Amino acid sequence: MNHFKWKKVENCFGGANVYEYRLAVRIDEALLACFGGLGSLTCHRNFPRPFFQTTLADGTSFKGVINDSVIKVSFPDGDAATSKNSFDNLLAEMLAKHIVTGERE
């Protein structure tokens, strides 16, 4: 079972590898902790719409609003297809653990 849907985002930067992911759950503190385990996590909780951004070792970065279910993911230009495939697998595994088994990090 897939716990997210994605679509390519059209933007003004030609060739940009930006995708919008709609998750089956809202991003809560437990999911943020999981994201923090993947790479460098920055949270801005004091903003009117608290948001976060995570950057992975391969240059993939994703951001979203805390307590929302949408994230925007930007993949590096070098090998975007491989990075996207790796991110999709990682996200699917993480969400399955978070949703299906009820485990919280």
Side-chain angles (χ1 to χ4, degrees):
M1 178 177 204
N2 203 355
H3 299 291
F4 62 87
K5 294 180 182 179
W6 58 266
K7 68 178 180 178
K8 183 147 173 89
V9 175
E10 297 299 324
N11 58 34
C12 59
F13 300 110
N17 300 300
V18 180
Y19 291 79
E20 179 180 277
Y21 283 69
R22 293 199 172 270
L23 311 181
V25 295
R26 292 183 182 271
I27 299 155
D28 59 10
E29 291 299 322
L31 203 48
L32 278 175
C34 292
F35 292 162
L38 300 176
S40 68
L41 171 68
T42 305
C43 290
H44 298 280
R45 290 182 172 85
N46 60 338
F47 286 17
R49 288 181 42 119
F51 76 95
F52 71 93
Q53 181 169 1
T54 303
T55 304
L56 308 182
D58 72 350
T60 297
S61 74
F62 59 99
K63 60 185 173 183
V65 175
I66 298 170
N67 205 28
D68 196 357
S69 61
V70 176
I71 59 174
K72 287 212 176 163
V73 184
S74 177
F75 298 103
D77 290 334
D79 194 0
T82 301
S83 292
K84 183 180 181 315
N85 187 45
S86 177
F87 179 79
D88 287 354
N89 291 333
L90 189 62
L91 184 61
E93 181 180 318
M94 184 181 305
L95 289 175
K97 184 176 182 182
H98 187 77
I99 295 168
V100 177
T101 66
E103 287 185 31
R104 301 290 190 245
E105 298 292 322

